Amino acid sequence: MSGTALITGITGQDGAYLAKLLLDKGYQVHGMMRRSSTETLERIADIRDEITIHQGDLLDQLSLVRLLEQIEPTEVYNLAAQSFVPTSWSQPILTAETTGLGVTRVLEAIRQVNPNIKMYQASSSEMFGKVQETPQTEATPFYPRSPYGVAKVYGYWITINYRESYNLFASNGILFNHESPLRGLEFVTRKITDGVARIKLGLQKELLLGNLDAKRDWGFAGDFVNAMWLMLQANEPGDFVVATGEQHSVREFCEIAFSTVGLNLDDHVGIDPRFYRPAEVETLLGNPAKAKTELGWEPQVTFEQLVTMMVEQDLKRVEREIKLGN
Ligand code: NAP
Ligand code: F7E
């Protein structure tokens, strides 16, 4: 029998993919979103009638307690966060409150309302930061390089602490970068594929980026949310690296994206120091062996397929916008 799931961060990239996955598995899916003066439901518009949306906020303990009492979920996926690394320097306190302390609020609500609820915490490869070994595994020491990374380290350890203190079924997924056509436009992959589409369709000439030499282990969000679900179906809670085991630079991502539409990146990409970071994470490469062995998880979409999928979707979207006169 499938259960009842509550997803915090349902309006985000991963929230949308996870909600679809859980619906396909027969779950009753509830999503928490914060109050906003405008609609933020575009990513889940196609499943809006199949899920139940509730207002709540990771900054507001009582809203979390009330939702758990009302929904009675069997599983909680804590995906909500201030997730954009550069914003964590301009809003470090908000980032700590949401991305860090927000995790304690969710854990505390679970402990108080029903300690049998299973919880997934969206931990991040940004915790490895200035990497202490390559590839990174569950045993690699953390060295975060941004207020975001520091907040995620806090979230990671408080999840383990509640597991050990109160015997909660709470697991950390240490997810490496994962992307999709639903990725936010400010993240580098989507910024590139949106830029490529606009340049190809004559709406802009140049794409300004920061550090082209940064290397990431990029996977497809649709594959990665499956690992989240698998973690909560395991016999025991634990902590798992979720990655492809393959690394590419921002420049390589650009090369493939531009060549998909028959353009050359050297003709269109400029460097703007505004997009450099005060402390950079130069390289990330994960070893997903534990997830493969213990969860049977493996990524399905290759790097080239991911880049092509994102470029094609952005081309279609920008074409639609042009037709509608936006
Ligand atoms: P995302 O698209 O930025 O979504 C973040 C979600 O959190 C949005 O729904 C946002 O709501 C919500 N949120 C922000 N502050 C909130 C608050 N105070 N209360 C309630 N909700 C709040 O992020 P994502 O890419 O889907 O990532 C999901 C999670 O995985 C995040 O925790 C992220 O840090 C983590 N992560 C992501 C990656 C990756 O590569 N994508 C890798 C490792 C870990 P609004 O729509 O209102 O802004
Ligand atoms: O940057 C470089 C930038 O912003 C990737 C989040 O989901 O993944 C994400 O964090 C790299 C960095 O993602 C631009 O300096 C160059 O080295 O796409 P990003 P991120 O910082 O790796 C982790 C795992 C998370 O947990 C986070 O929530 O690309 N880069 N030029 C640029 N980055 C941006 N954004 N914009 C540029 O113009």
Side-chain angles (χ1 to χ4, degrees):
M1 197 195 84
S2 303
T4 302
L6 171 64
I7 302 173
T8 73
I10 188 120
T11 58
Q13 169 189 258
D14 290 6
Y17 279 98
L18 181 64
K20 282 169 202 160
L21 179 94
L22 296 178
L23 283 174
D24 286 346
K25 292 190 182 296
Y27 278 73
Q28 276 183 36
V29 178
H30 296 259
M32 184 185 91
M33 65 181 283
R34 54 184 169 168
R35 194 260 160 192
S36 164
S37 67
T38 48
E39 278 270 329
T40 54
L41 296 167
E42 309 95 74
R43 289 184 174 109
I44 44 173
D46 51 335
I47 53 166
R48 180 66 191 84
D49 295 340
E50 298 166 71
I51 60 182
T52 313
I53 297 290
H54 308 260
Q55 277 191 13
D57 200 303
L58 279 195
L59 303 179
D60 185 73
Q61 181 72 39
L62 290 181
S63 67
L64 299 173
V65 170
R66 203 175 46 243
L67 282 188
L68 294 191
E69 285 173 346
Q70 188 186 332
I71 297 165
E72 298 184 356
T74 50
E75 297 173 6
V76 171
Y77 294 85
N78 183 37
L79 308 187
Q82 190 303 95
S83 77
F84 190 47
V85 172
T87 297
S88 77
W89 277 284
S90 56
Q91 299 183 17
I93 309 293
L94 176 83
T95 303
E97 282 284 357
T98 310
T99 307
L101 211 48
V103 186
T104 308
R105 295 195 185 95
V106 174
L107 287 161
E108 194 49 30
I110 289 174
R111 187 182 76 81
Q112 194 180 323
V113 175
N114 176 5
N116 293 320
I117 297 170
K118 295 182 178 181
M119 190 244 199
Y120 171 83
Q121 166 55 19
S123 287
S124 166
S125 54
E126 278 294 296
M127 301 187 302
F128 296 122
K130 190 173 176 183
V131 296
Q132 302 296 293
E133 62 176 0
T134 295
Q136 293 86 52
T137 72
E138 293 78 7
T140 303
F142 299 140
Y143 192 140
R145 292 273 278 171
S146 63
Y148 170 81
V150 174
K152 282 287 180 190
V153 171
Y154 173 85
Y156 171 89
W157 280 114
I158 199 70
T159 299
I160 293 177
N161 181 263
Y162 268 58
R163 181 164 82 212
E164 294 176 354
S165 303
Y166 304 114
N167 205 23
L168 296 190
F169 192 116
S171 293
N172 282 294
I174 308 174
L175 269 56
F176 282 61
N177 299 53
H178 46 280
E179 318 293 317
S180 74
L182 298 184
R183 185 59 140 153
L185 281 165
E186 71 271 55
F187 296 91
V188 77
T189 55
R190 188 74 199 292
K191 182 174 169 183
I192 294 168
T193 60
D194 174 67
V196 163
R198 289 179 172 278
I199 291 168
K200 180 67 182 174
L201 296 170
L203 294 186
Q204 75 186 54
K205 287 201 160 39
E206 196 182 24
L207 176 63
L208 295 176
L209 296 170
N211 179 11
L212 298 187
D213 296 322
K215 296 192 181 74
R216 290 290 185 276
D217 178 331
W218 277 296
F220 172 50
D223 288 341
F224 280 40
V225 296
N226 195 30
M228 299 176 185
W229 176 75
L230 286 168
M231 275 175 230
L232 297 199
Q233 313 317 308
N235 290 332
E236 301 289 334
D239 309 307
F240 296 87
V241 161
V242 179
T244 70
E246 204 182 294
Q247 188 188 55
H248 297 274
S249 64
V250 173
R251 185 185 304 278
E252 284 168 51
F253 192 106
C254 280
E255 275 163 5
I256 299 181
F258 276 95
S259 71
T260 302
V261 297
L263 296 174
N264 188 329
L265 88 104
D266 294 325
D267 299 330
H268 300 282
V269 172
I271 300 300
D272 186 333
R274 274 187 306 144
F275 297 116
Y276 289 137
R277 297 176 180 187
E280 174 65 301
V281 173
E282 295 290 349
T283 173
L284 287 173
L285 175 63
N287 176 354
K290 182 180 174 190
K292 188 175 175 183
T293 318
E294 293 188 20
L295 303 176
W297 178 84
E298 269 188 277
Q300 305 296 318
V301 174
T302 67
F303 179 68
E304 285 73 16
Q305 286 170 336
L306 174 66
V307 182
T308 313
M309 173 204 307
M310 291 176 68
V311 171
E312 285 171 355
Q313 290 289 319
D314 271 325
L315 274 173
K316 282 192 198 145
R317 181 184 51 86
V318 176
E319 262 166 359
R320 265 199 315 273
E321 284 173 11
I322 291 172
K323 277 200 191 112
L324 291 170
N326 292 343

